[in-house]
Amino acid sequence: MRHGLAVVGLDDLPRTIIGRDAYLHAARLLGVAPTQCLAHEDSDEGVTAATSAGMNVVDIRHHPWH
């Protein structure tokens, strides 16, 4: 992520990047283990973050929704 920010000239932004931590925080707020959660994501980055947090993930880009 930091490399991507540098490429577009945004590497001087604050150094806090939230990824899997947001998912872990959500699980804590719900009072459940991350392994008991199901994340619905629509980006590669989101799928990676949720998986890294230990959650099961549904990639909604790859399912026919009606």
Side-chain angles (χ1 to χ4, degrees), residues 14-25:
R15 296 291 178 188
T16 302
I17 296 174
I18 298 173
R20 72 182 184 102
D21 292 341
Y23 280 107
L24 294 174
H25 181 66

Side-chain angles (χ1 to χ4, degrees), residues 2-38:
R2 291 188 196 287
H3 174 73
L5 290 173
V7 168
V8 296
L10 298 175
D11 54 336
D12 60 340
L13 291 175
R15 296 291 178 188
T16 302
I17 296 174
I18 298 173
R20 72 182 184 102
D21 292 341
Y23 280 107
L24 294 174
H25 181 66
R28 279 192 298 275
L29 289 175
L30 293 169
V32 297
T35 56
Q36 299 299 308
C37 296
L38 178 62

Side-chain angles (χ1 to χ4, degrees), residues 23-62:
Y23 280 107
L24 294 174
H25 181 66
R28 279 192 298 275
L29 289 175
L30 293 169
V32 297
T35 56
Q36 299 299 308
C37 296
L38 178 62
H40 294 79
E41 266 298 337
D42 64 353
S43 70
D44 291 337
E45 295 82 5
V47 169
T48 299
T51 302
S52 295
M55 294 185 178
N56 296 299
V57 183
V58 173
D59 187 339
I60 63 172
R61 299 171 296 176
H62 301 293

